[in-house]
Amino acid sequence: MRSALIIAAFAALVSSPVMSQSPSVPNAAPWDQPFLPPAPAWDGVSRALLRDASDPWVTAFETDPDHDFSPTYVDTRAWFDRLDAASDLIRIEQFGVSPEGRPIYAVIASKDGAAFDPAKPVLLAQAGIHPGEIDGKDAGMMLLRDIAFNGKDDLLDRVNLILIPILSVDGHERASAYSRPNQRGPRIQGWRNTAANQNLNRDYLKLDQPEMRAVRGLILKYRPDLYVDIHVTDGMDYQYDVTWGFNGENGAYSRSPATSQWLNDVFKPAINAGLEAQGHIPGELVFGVDDRNPRAGLSDGGLGERFSNGWGTAAHVPTILIENHSLKPYEQRVLGTYVFLEDALRLLARDGAALRAAIGADSALRPADIPANFQADPTPAYTRSFKGILYETWDSPASGRQEIRWLGRADPEPWALPFFGSKPTLTLRRPEAYWVPSYRADIIERLRLHGVSMETLDAPRTVSVEMLSLDDPRLAARPNEGHVPATVAAVTPHRRDWTFPTGSVRVPTDQPLGDVVVLLLEPQSNESFFAWGMFPEVLSRVEYIEGYAIAPLAERMLAADPALKAEFEAKVAADPAFAADGDARLQWFYERTPFYDDHYRLYPVAREN
């Protein structure tokens, strides 16, 4: 009943005289979201890319009078099947299956036939990892159509294109007019998470979900030279319509410094110039540091390897994150994405050899120290010129405070905003290798899915390794992405001879994915398998000792070992809570006996140094 009343109130808002006369919401309908700020007028040159309804290959997006519609999964696949049948340049490749059983497919554009010419760079463009943010699908349909039939087949002379039109296919089909309230179009949108309620853009390292395992396999098969992950923003209003970026931008730290320099010095100016020539306003990624104060500054949004751009720098796959602006009309965003992809293809054709050289240089790096666990730096790195939108504040009776009202007009004066980067809070030392026991076959399988090289034991082997004791491990109070995360304050290494059974693996770090290996297997890394809560068994202690047994044993230990006696008395003197807790005192002695479970809090993955 309450939902019906809310929808009725919303419909009344849409049909009110004020709303129906507003130039920003002509012919208002439920999906117009009249509570959103007005959109500045736009009439970019890229509108010439739209095909007339009489064109037999016009897309559903183009035939919609408002260019505010995106077709269903079934209709999209039917259109691509027709394109595949009609053009020798286009083929469809299924590379996975969703949790609900839908095929996940890529559309490949090439003049090479079934096998790619290895001399040609490969562009992989991915849409719909968040299915409500589906701009890349409709832009890709238009671009592939124009490659096949409208004179742009020259784009494939020296480069190949792979388009994933919809990665999260189940989320795409959980579609309605009420998916993304902060986004202007398309009027029917998919759902952010998968059928398993997982956010795929948090799964690049842990590889939980079949969609991400499938796309990782596709990447390993085709080895793209550039990976473009297409999203739509949330957050503040501003003039830019296509914002995009990469880790290492503007000289910031990158695990792939040569690639980041190429993207910054070659790719960025060329792409921005191309977008501007077509009437778009490109900009760097926008992450405001204070939702209630737009002028407080901007941040890099975090550099974690769970995201596509963070994973890309660690895996040495040049990765671009596009975040089209959610408050711009869908037509403007789709056309901007088309221009971006076309210009990226042309640039790769011209300068792909230099990018490949940069990838090679980065893949050869073997840093001894690996920065990790990046957090926001409280000191701004520099001041950024920003094209803002005018706004005002008003007293909201709903919130009981002042709220921001964006006015839909460009501020003629650029804003000077502090930009806050990230800094590492942990430095990990690179060991020679890690050893993973065979009974953790799930961890071994995830490493294999990443493409990590490893040696599998065909017989038991005893090796001298560092085993790690976990100091003060703690579980999170609530789950995240289907896991209960864990943290550990520190680790204490112990040199031991340890026998690993048949099927265990030795994972060397002297390989291009060595940084990924360290980030996944060091328990203090906040991107590690341990941090995602995948080693709960080490937090369970099995045996114990009764007080009637440990108390007399403790007295004998005190009498026999003066050093132990001094350590215990110092602990009692320094820690009143410990001194007053009889169980804790006896536990202290138990942990120093040979009866204590020496596997408790012992991380089963070993280091080889």
Side-chain angles (χ1 to χ4, degrees), residues 169-246:
V169 291
D170 295 340
H172 186 277
E173 293 308 277
R174 185 183 170 183
S176 78
Y178 302 105
S179 288
R180 287 179 61 81
N182 304 313
Q183 180 177 305
R184 180 171 275 115
R187 62 178 180 264
I188 304 297
Q189 303 164 355
W191 196 251
R192 180 178 182 84
N193 278 16
T194 68
N197 199 29
Q198 299 297 301
N199 185 337
L200 296 183
N201 197 32
R202 306 294 184 271
D203 199 30
Y204 274 88
L205 272 199
K206 57 185 173 64
L207 291 182
D208 271 342
Q209 301 307 311
E211 297 94 335
M212 293 310 298
R213 293 180 174 210
V215 80
R216 186 69 185 109
L218 190 74
I219 290 170
L220 288 171
K221 178 178 180 179
Y222 287 104
R223 303 285 179 178
D225 300 273
L226 187 65
Y227 179 34
V228 179
D229 183 22
I230 305 167
H231 293 248
V232 180
T233 68
D234 295 310
M236 61 196 291
D237 201 357
Y238 41 79
Q239 297 177 45
Y240 311 104
D241 55 357
V242 180
T243 69
W244 63 279
F246 48 91

Side-chain angles (χ1 to χ4, degrees), residues 37 62 73 94 135 287 354 379 413 599:
E62 293 168 296
Y73 169 87
Q94 180 178 332
D135 307 13
F287 300 102
T379 302
E413 295 294 326
H599 285 206

Side-chain angles (χ1 to χ4, degrees), residues 338-358:
Y338 181 118
V339 172
F340 189 105
L341 294 176
E342 180 180 2
D343 286 353
L345 286 169
R346 296 195 185 280
L347 186 58
L348 277 182
R350 292 196 307 268
D351 207 49
L355 176 57
R356 283 192 168 179

Side-chain angles (χ1 to χ4, degrees), residues 441-457:
D442 57 326
I443 300 299
I444 296 170
E445 175 63 15
R446 291 171 197 258
L447 292 170
R448 286 205 174 98
L449 289 167
H450 271 288
V452 169
S453 298
M454 62 187 81
E455 174 194 358
T456 303
L457 301 188

Side-chain angles (χ1 to χ4, degrees), residues 2 11 26 54 57 88 96 162 179 225-226 276 290 305 321 357 380 389 410 413 431 444 447 449 491 542 569 589 605:
R2 180 173 294 175
S54 62
W57 290 101
D88 291 338
I162 303 172
S179 288
D225 300 273
L226 187 65
E276 289 169 355
D290 186 346
E305 286 77 18
L321 172 62
I389 290 284
E413 295 294 326
I444 296 170
L447 292 170
L449 289 167
V491 296
V542 177
E569 290 174 347
F589 287 100
V605 177

Side-chain angles (χ1 to χ4, degrees), residues 474-487 530-534 536:
R474 300 192 179 189
L475 295 176
R478 61 181 183 178
N480 182 27
E481 298 299 322
H483 295 274
V484 178
T487 58
F530 175 84
W532 279 107
M534 296 188 195

